[in-house]
Amino acid sequence: MYTPPKTMLHAVRGDITRLKIDVIVNAANTSLLGGGGVDGAIHRAAGPELLAECRALGGCATGESKITHGYLLPARFVIHTVGPVWHGGSHNEDDLLASCYRNSLQLALSHQLQSIAFPAISCGVYGFPLKRAVAIAVKEVRAFLASEPGEAFREIVFCCFDEQALIAYEIETRQFGESPDA
Ligand code: AR6
């Protein structure tokens, strides 16, 4: 019986705009017209054509995702998703964050993209507690992979801008035995 290769799920430290991968995910805001943090970095690296394509998308609701080309980025596409702003945890933040991951994976799959990198959505300006967000991210990605028949992705990367995020992801992915060095 054919056993498809396992999806490589791992955390790396670095700048997501430098990754040569099918698609990177942007932690955007509902306007999709750019901002600070990873959003600003992605728009700067992709060039003005990205903003022009984003303008035509008409924004994006929290928890949802939209796709554009990558333009000057090494990544072929960008999936823009809008994470929740942290308001203490009782405003549906966990479910909305989980939706960002689920909808982004679904969108990538529907475009036949096989490698995808996520930043720590909502963990910067939007103030989501890092460990809690990382647990949701890893759980949601695993649930998505488990629900897909066959092998959906070759590689899923959690791209961490700082050491603290990297450690949090390494702990969480290692618990499931998915880091290559686990
Ligand atoms: N590569 C990877 N990760 C990065 C990079 C990068 N180049 N730059 C920052 N991060 P944030 P949010 C990390 O604030 O919390 C924007 O203005 C960062 O260290 O970018 O979802 C949008 O327009 C943190 O761990 O996104 C929205 O208004 C993570 O990316 C708002 O910020 C997310 O931090 C979204 O806030």
Side-chain angles (χ1 to χ4, degrees):
M1 199 180 93
Y2 171 69
T3 312
K6 213 173 164 225
T7 303
M8 182 161 57
L9 176 59
H10 61 138
V12 300
R13 182 161 178 202
D15 177 350
I16 204 165
T17 67
R18 309 291 290 272
L19 298 185
K20 192 167 171 13
I21 196 157
D22 288 343
V23 57
I24 61 171
V25 176
N26 181 17
N29 58 60
T30 54
S31 78
L32 295 187
L33 298 180
V38 71
D39 194 7
I42 288 172
H43 275 273
R44 276 194 301 279
E49 282 180 292
L50 178 61
L51 183 59
E53 188 176 356
C54 283
R55 278 192 208 288
L57 295 177
C60 182
T62 303
E64 297 191 355
S65 305
K66 294 196 175 174
I67 192 165
T68 64
H69 292 91
Y71 299 101
L72 301 177
L73 289 163
R76 290 166 53 213
F77 292 91
V78 179
I79 287 176
H80 308 262
T81 192
V82 183
V85 178
W86 179 256
H87 288 298
S90 57
H91 292 76
N92 210 23
E93 291 97 327
D94 291 352
D95 288 347
L96 289 167
L97 185 63
S99 296
C100 289
Y101 286 91
R102 200 165 51 246
N103 289 331
S104 297
L105 290 166
Q106 193 58 60
L107 194 53
L109 204 57
S110 67
H111 284 75
Q112 286 88 42
L113 304 176
Q114 293 192 328
S115 55
I116 182 166
F118 288 95
I121 300 162
S122 285
C123 293
V125 175
Y126 281 1
F128 209 107
L130 181 67
K131 275 190 196 158
R132 184 163 171 153
V134 167
I136 291 167
V138 174
K139 180 167 169 252
E140 205 54 42
V141 167
R142 279 178 48 81
F144 186 89
L145 293 176
S147 72
E148 282 305 314
E151 210 45 43
F153 290 96
R154 193 176 68 246
E155 184 182 11
I156 297 178
V157 179
F158 294 112
C159 183
C160 306
F161 207 46
D162 55 44
E163 187 71 18
Q164 204 193 358
L166 181 66
I167 291 168
Y169 275 105
E170 280 182 344
I171 291 169
E172 199 65 38
T173 52
R174 211 165 274 161
Q175 274 175 11
F176 295 109
E178 274 156 341
S179 283
D181 56 349

